[in-house]
Amino acid sequence: MTNYLPDVVNAVYVVAVLVFILGLKAMSSPETARRGIMFAGIAMLIAVAVTFLSPGLSNFALIALGIFIGGGLGYYWARVVKMTAMPQMVAVFNGMGGGAAAAIAAVELLGSLSGATAALSVAGAVIGSISIAGSVIAFLKLQGWMRSQPIVLPARQPVNFAVLIVGAGFGVGSLVLGHPLYLLPFFVLLLVYGILLTLPIGGADMPVVISLFNALTGIAVALDGFALVNGPLGDAGYAMVIAGTLVGAAGSLLTILMARAMNRSISNVLFGAFGQTQDSGGPIQGTMKPIEPEDAAVMMEYAGQVVIAPGYGMAVAQAQQKVKELADLLEAKGVTVKFAIHPVAGRMPGHMNVLLAEAGINYDKLFDRDEINPELANTDVVLVIGANDVVNPAARRAGSPLQGMPILDVDRAKNVLVIKRGQGRGFAGIENDLFYGDNTRMLYGDAQAVVGKLVQALKKS
Amino acid sequence: MAADLWTALFIALLAAFTGYEVIGRVPVLLHTPLMSGSNFIHGIVLVGAIVALGIATTPLEQAIGLVAVIMGAMNVTGGYVVTERILAMFDRSKKKGGGAA
């Protein structure tokens, strides 16, 4: 019996890996996605369960305790958290994965490793540590416990680089000299590097950063897997190599897509401290013209098509429920309502889609930038809710810091209504030409309050 | 380098292309669940954490191993529940009735 046990464990890992791939595949359509994650969940559960059967393990009580604590905390947090806090939750759970990868590498390095295996463990520790420290900073920024603007320290680039090099040096030192005491400064410096790396990154760049740390954790897990395959219990290592690499590749692709949606390179997002510039890009002709909610409501009521372009401001004001009400009222009056979603609107990839889906808006009405842009010129009214940089026509102008960023062409619509909290600039610190357009009218105030007024006005008429 | 490592390298190469191909055409609509779902899948780190703690001998190794298991378990359960919650909102069969409320 005992002889067959390793084969059983291996067979389960093989099946689990297959289901992971199919589960990810199912993520490409809303019809199948839910089934995909459920199957992946079952596969994960079985993979974890059979790991207990691996020969030569001990400390079962501690393992059970750890799973109980971690699983309980994870389950509780993920259940109680509001949908609006989703970006920081994803950041936290991702950071935990990175931390686990770093800790596994630490255990491996404390044991007697040598050669390639040890080097791979060091690499896993480096990436895992950066991932957890960076994810925690991202969490603090998203949660509002830390300023979301870029925090730029003097001589940032050389200092960061020095921290990374010295930290990695301690890691290599611990390998060469075989002294575990070097591991302490190694991990401390790498955690510091993860923090320093993330501090100068501003809120609007979070979709890229969260996705990047997700990919990094995947890579750290894969590296740990490499280190494990050589050990006495190699089977678990292969599962980690595949699952980790899968996530690393998928996450890297998503990160690139996000960066491309802003027409910036990943290194520019990481090292550019974007949003710190106060360059206004030259004076703008015209003035901002306010409009009363009642007049705005009439304008939308008599439109053939209204396109709503939401941004982070909608999420902050938690206005999505009111927006759903507004859309329902307009549709009841025979107006076609569509939503224009910019890929990097909000604080994580696909953020707006999640919020609108939560409010009960059918995803058939949500349109990607490339789908909706050709229609905007023939749209009677565009309602911009708390979006700024993603609708700034300055992106089309040479010399603007936003130059080349693909935007929602809302300024080409016949009429534009903009709901905005105040007269300030967007995250990027750049004046928005849209607000000064002849066809633009401004609705000042909190998004939820203003949309509420629009709903009231529509109900009366 | 040991043969096992080379095998793992070949496997990783294939897995990388698989990940790239499988994700290549995901619509913007599903970017959040995709990210959250892949976040869940790297929760496989829990398996490694169990092995690391399972073979730990000194108290220091055990302590770090326990931390690894706790964090891995948080990653895997939190990642799953978050993804499930998000996808539940996209579920048409449930949405037809009365919206989210």
Side-chain angles (χ1 to χ4, degrees), chain A residues 34 58-59 78 81 349 358 363, chain B residues 32 38 53-54 85 91-92 100:
Chain A
R34 202 171 181 198
S58 52
N59 296 327
V81 70
E358 188 206 8
Y363 56 76
Chain B
T32 298
S38 56
L53 178 53
R85 276 184 66 187
D91 201 329
R92 233 185 258 257

Side-chain angles (χ1 to χ4, degrees), chain A residues 13 20-21 24-25 27-31 33-34 37-38 40-41 44 47-48 51-52 57-59 62-63 66-67 70-71 73-75 77-79 81 83 86 90 93-94 96-97 99-101 103-104 106-107 110-111 116 120 132 210-211 214 217-218 221 226 228-230 233 236 238 240-243 245-247 249-250 253-254 258 348-351 353-354 357-360 362-364 366 368, chain B residues 1-5 7-13 15-58 60-96 99-101:
Chain A
Y13 287 153
F20 288 162
I21 294 171
L24 265 186
K25 176 85 192 148
M27 288 284 178
S28 53
S29 154
E31 313 289 338
R34 202 171 181 198
I37 189 72
M38 272 157 95
M44 184 71 81
V48 170
T51 305
F52 279 91
L57 289 192
S58 52
N59 296 327
L62 272 181
I63 294 173
I67 291 178
L73 279 177
Y75 183 84
W77 269 357
R79 271 274 150 233
V81 70
M83 274 299 152
M86 238 2 127
V90 172
F93 294 131
N94 177 54
M96 289 301 127
I104 293 169
V107 175
L110 283 172
L120 289 164
I132 184 176
I210 293 187
S211 176
N214 187 38
T217 301
V221 171
F226 273 110
L228 282 179
V229 291
N230 235 9
L233 297 164
Y238 286 113
M240 286 169 72
V241 166
I242 297 177
T245 311
L246 206 60
V247 174
L253 180 60
L254 186 60
M258 290 298 112
M348 68 176 166
H351 194 180
N353 301 86
V354 173
E358 188 206 8
N362 198 315
Y363 56 76
D364 289 342
L366 311 182
D368 196 354
Chain B
M1 225 158 86
D4 291 342
L5 280 182
T7 313
L9 196 61
F10 281 119
I11 291 173
L13 199 66
F17 279 102
T18 309
Y20 193 88
E21 285 300 318
V22 162
I23 295 310
R25 287 166 296 276
V26 172
V28 175
L29 174 71
L30 290 173
H31 277 173
T32 298
L34 166 69
M35 186 181 60
S36 177
S38 56
N39 183 12
F40 159 69
I41 286 174
H42 67 52
I44 190 79
V45 73
L46 175 58
V47 166
I50 291 172
V51 170
L53 178 53
I55 57 176
T57 45
T58 67
L60 179 62
E61 285 175 8
Q62 286 174 340
I64 300 173
L66 181 63
V67 170
V69 171
I70 291 175
M71 292 203 280
M74 270 185 75
N75 179 183
V76 83
T77 48
Y80 181 81
V81 174
V82 164
T83 312
E84 221 287 324
R85 276 184 66 187
I86 293 169
L87 288 176
M89 297 187 313
F90 289 119
D91 201 329
R92 233 185 258 257
S93 51
K94 282 198 176 169
K95 269 289 136 58
K96 282 262 162 73

